Amino acid sequence: MRTSNRAWAEINLAHLKHNLFELMRALPSRCSVMAVVKANAYGHGGIEVAKFLNEIGVIHFAVASIEEAIELRRHGVQGEILILGYTSPDRADDLFSYQLTQTIVSADYGRALDERGRKIKVHVKIDTGMHRLGESHRNTDEILSCFNPIHLRVNGTYSHLSVSDSLDREKVAFTTMQLAQFNAVIDRIRSEGLNPGNVHIQSSYGILNYPDIAFDLARPGIALYGLLSNEEDRVVTQAKLQPVLSLRATVSQVSDVPAHHPVGYGHKFIPSQDVRIATVSIGYADGIPKNLADNGGYVLIRGQRANMTGSICMDQFMVDVTSIEEVRQGDTVTIIGQDGTETITAGLIAKQCGTVTNEIVSRIGSRVERVYVS
């Protein structure tokens, strides 16, 4: 696929649908999916991804901020949109007007939001050991107070597993403890005659490693987009996930550089022999990690590998195409994805840069056109 843009991400909606159904297949039949589309759907395009998922039956979504939620609602996304993060009580009117669902991050926060007098839908967050957001599972009275507001409408209760990505004995024991603490809270809520609403705790690895948890919702993020945070992670459920995103750019110039002539900022690459250099029209302002060139980074051109050379610039970088015949201006460059028999994964780039795939795909910038294919 070619576009007129300098750089583009191809988003395969058929793969997205496939991943959704693979994850649903792993879950108990009564459990529905709450699709996590925060951070522009992990770089895949939040509006388009959410609207497509809406069309194929998803009615629960999760985002990080009220701005993300309002953007989805303004573009016609239907169903529940849960804001996972903090929203100032001063935004109560927006929460109400756009029919958004806010996380109660603590009992004090719940009271402050309730005082605004708006009938806002909320989910109560329980901290079972992540120590990030939520009322501690130990604070039973405070938790119960969240279920007796005057104006708020509680329709969910949830927590977050902090080490469900690991199958190490100690991490499994910690996850088991989190589940036990969460279940104890849910049981206490119900024993008081209160309704916890939709109960949920699993994100991607919670689904893949603990698929038998029988709650109402599960919140896939990175797995929905066909990825694991680390490609080498072992998981219990062998879901056949398919990467949704490919990242491509264009060769903007091809130059012959004599031996001993430096290439790029800082003269980090000085060839010992004559080389042919291609400039690629994407850079760190578009989400390419600046340290990728220093850690074995390469791209695919005409189905062959071309090593990055010198420093990655804000808007472009250079690669060595000396061994690739007939590279010319306008050729497609694959940064993530397949070209011929060669493939570069987001996981490989993450490993080279010492991070996780979540960061690699979610940092892809707004200057990169999203092209949706099915």
Side-chain angles (χ1 to χ4, degrees):
M1 170 174 290
R2 299 296 298 273
T3 80
S4 60
N5 222 332
R6 55 185 284 273
W8 64 98
E10 296 170 15
I11 311 300
N12 190 315
L13 297 176
H15 286 187
L16 180 64
K17 180 179 180 179
H18 167 86
N19 296 336
L20 172 67
F21 289 136
E22 278 289 288
L23 295 169
M24 290 173 61
R25 182 179 59 81
L27 291 164
S29 58
R30 65 179 290 269
C31 183
S32 298
V33 163
M34 173 177 277
V36 181
V37 292
K38 63 182 180 179
N40 200 26
Y42 289 62
H44 293 66
I47 294 168
E48 292 81 1
V49 165
K51 291 176 71 173
F52 174 76
L53 291 173
N54 243 174
E55 291 171 3
I56 60 175
V58 176
I59 59 171
H60 302 277
F61 298 92
V63 296
S65 70
I66 189 172
E67 288 78 16
E68 290 178 332
I70 290 173
E71 183 179 44
L72 295 185
R73 197 63 95 203
R74 283 177 172 170
H75 284 84
V77 176
Q78 302 297 309
E80 179 178 49
I81 303 176
L82 172 64
I83 300 168
L84 298 171
Y86 169 84
T87 299
S88 170
D90 292 341
R91 304 291 300 273
D93 286 347
D94 287 332
L95 291 169
F96 173 77
S97 297
Y98 289 99
Q99 290 297 290
L100 305 175
T101 304
Q102 174 58 41
T103 292
I104 297 300
V105 299
S106 69
D108 285 342
Y109 173 80
R111 285 187 283 270
L113 188 60
D114 194 38
E115 288 173 359
R116 300 304 167 119
R118 287 296 204 172
K119 294 181 179 179
I120 298 167
K121 293 176 286 187
V122 296
H123 284 209
V124 178
K125 178 72 178 288
I126 310 299
D127 177 14
T128 56
M130 181 86 169
H131 299 308
R132 187 172 63 179
L133 288 176
E135 189 64 50
S136 172
H137 68 95
R138 298 183 181 88
N139 300 336
T140 307
D141 290 341
E142 289 285 69
I143 291 171
L144 293 175
S145 73
C146 296
F147 292 85
N148 288 300
I150 299 172
H151 304 287
L152 305 182
R153 298 292 181 264
V154 179
N155 59 6
T157 306
Y158 76 101
S159 189
H160 192 81
L161 301 174
S162 57
V163 287
S164 59
D165 59 330
S166 175
L167 296 179
D168 292 345
R169 182 182 302 175
E170 291 184 2
K171 302 296 177 59
V172 170
F174 191 89
T175 298
T176 302
M177 179 189 69
Q178 282 192 274
L179 289 167
Q181 291 172 165
F182 184 59
N183 276 313
V185 170
I186 298 301
D187 288 345
R188 179 63 188 278
I189 292 168
R190 288 175 171 150
S191 72
E192 295 291 329
L194 301 170
N195 182 6
N198 284 325
V199 176
H200 49 110
I201 197 170
Q202 297 149 288
S203 53
S204 290
Y205 281 94
I207 297 170
L208 296 172
N209 285 331
Y210 302 87
D212 295 331
I213 296 174
F215 289 145
D216 302 298
L217 296 172
R219 308 184 305 267
I222 194 66
L224 186 60
Y225 307 103
L227 304 170
L228 298 177
S229 294
N230 295 287
E231 284 188 336
E232 297 172 356
D233 285 340
R234 295 179 297 118
V235 293
V236 171
T237 302
Q238 299 305 313
K240 297 177 181 178
L241 302 177
Q242 299 176 347
V244 174
L245 179 146
S246 298
L247 180 61
R248 309 190 198 277
T250 301
V251 171
S252 53
Q253 181 172 300
V254 180
S255 304
D256 291 314
V257 178
H260 311 301
H261 283 236
V263 175
Y265 285 124
H267 296 181
K268 293 178 68 174
F269 176 64
I270 303 176
S272 59
Q273 58 187 18
D274 294 351
V275 293
R276 176 159 287 186
I277 296 296
T279 301
V280 181
S281 58
I282 191 171
Y284 64 75
D286 304 294
I288 304 300
K290 201 171 188 313
N291 64 338
L292 182 57
D294 302 323
N295 292 287
Y298 63 90
V299 300
L300 303 177
I301 303 177
R302 295 180 174 263
Q304 300 179 61
R305 298 185 182 190
N307 292 326
M308 293 178 170
T309 59
S311 296
I312 292 177
C313 310
M314 179 177 286
D315 315 303
Q316 51 205 327
F317 61 80
M318 285 72 76
V319 295
D320 187 343
V321 295
T322 307
S323 62
I324 305 176
E325 295 182 359
E326 299 184 354
V327 175
R328 57 176 61 95
Q329 186 180 66
D331 279 353
T332 295
V333 180
T334 298
I335 299 104
I336 298 173
Q338 184 174 358
D339 183 0
T341 60
E342 292 277 356
T343 300
I344 299 174
T345 64
L348 172 63
I349 294 175
K351 183 177 181 180
Q352 289 171 322
C353 297
T355 186
V356 292
T357 58
N358 312 49
E359 180 180 354
I360 296 301
V361 292
S362 63
R363 70 190 297 171
I364 297 172
S366 60
R367 300 193 305 185
V368 177
E369 179 188 6
R370 270 65 172 182
V371 179
Y372 296 88
V373 299
S374 58

